């Protein structure tokens, strides 16, 4: 039996907070190869994947973008919407056809400000996601650029 990922919405947010958040959801679909956002662009929304896969990537000058992580059902796509200056720190692309819930960042931030319990829960979730992604990015970049990969003992 597998343990639910602590960064997926169902495991990370209490049911009442999930329900409040879902009041702001809009269903969207992305075709394979669609760019959801570009590094440096305006972060004014975010998504929760319903089905399909989305990759997160980072621009590497003179090279193809490095894929940091692949996201699936129940995972948050985009964290930069929560932090000023609301600019994407990574890029994202649909690797398969994707069905997702889309959220307007201004509306959700407003709810977070007016409902402190909801704001705290959502903020903790985004923090968990960021910590996980930072570690994933570190490992991936070591695999790509370190002399012996992330398993090297230096």
């Amino acid at each position: 039996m597998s343990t639910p990922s602590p960064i997926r919405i169902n495991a990370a947010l209490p049911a009442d907070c999930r329900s409040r958040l879902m009041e702001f959801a809009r269903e969207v679909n992305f075709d394979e190869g669609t760019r959801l956002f570009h590094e440096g662009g305006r972060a004014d929304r975010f998504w929760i994947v319903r089905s399909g896969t989305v990759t997160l990537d980072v621009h590497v000058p003179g090279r193809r973008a490095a894929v940091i992580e692949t996201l699936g059902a129940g995972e948050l796509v985009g964290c930069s919407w929560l932090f000023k200056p609301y600019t994407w720190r990574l890029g994202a692309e649909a690797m398969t056809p994707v069905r997702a819930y889309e959220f307007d960042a201004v509306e959700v931030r407003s709810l977070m400000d007016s409902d402190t319990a909801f704001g705290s829960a959502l903020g903790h979730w985004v923090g968990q996601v960021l910590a996980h992604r930072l570690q994933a990015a570190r490992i991936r970049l070591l695999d790509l650029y370190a002399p012996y990969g992330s398993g090297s003992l230096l």
Side-chain angles (χ1 to χ4, degrees), residues 56-147:
L56 297 178
D57 57 42
V58 63
H59 174 73
V60 180
R63 296 186 139 184
R64 172 182 277 179
V67 172
I68 299 300
E69 192 168 8
T70 301
L71 308 176
E75 292 190 275
L76 176 65
V77 179
C79 297
S80 301
W81 62 272
L82 188 53
F83 306 102
K84 288 182 181 180
Y86 310 123
T87 302
W88 294 121
R89 306 291 185 209
L90 300 171
E93 183 176 333
M95 293 311 292
T96 66
V98 171
R99 294 176 32 211
Y101 294 114
E102 183 176 82
F103 301 86
D104 179 275
V106 172
E107 289 179 348
V108 175
R109 286 193 308 263
S110 179
L111 177 59
M112 291 174 75
D113 290 343
S114 66
D115 181 341
T116 56
F118 174 82
S120 177
L122 196 62
H124 279 85
W125 177 41
V126 174
Q128 286 178 314
V129 170
L130 285 171
H132 173 82
R133 294 206 179 134
L134 180 61
Q135 182 65 10
R138 178 185 171 278
I139 290 168
R140 180 67 175 136
L141 291 173
L142 284 172
D143 284 342
L144 289 171
Y145 302 110

Side-chain angles (χ1 to χ4, degrees), residues 8 28-32 36 48-55 69-77 93-101:
R8 293 184 193 277
V28 295
N29 299 308
F30 299 103
D31 292 330
E32 180 179 335
L36 278 69
I48 297 172
V49 177
R50 295 173 57 214
S51 66
T53 56
V54 174
T55 57
E69 192 168 8
T70 301
L71 308 176
E75 292 190 275
L76 176 65
V77 179
E93 183 176 333
M95 293 311 292
T96 66
V98 171
R99 294 176 32 211
Y101 294 114

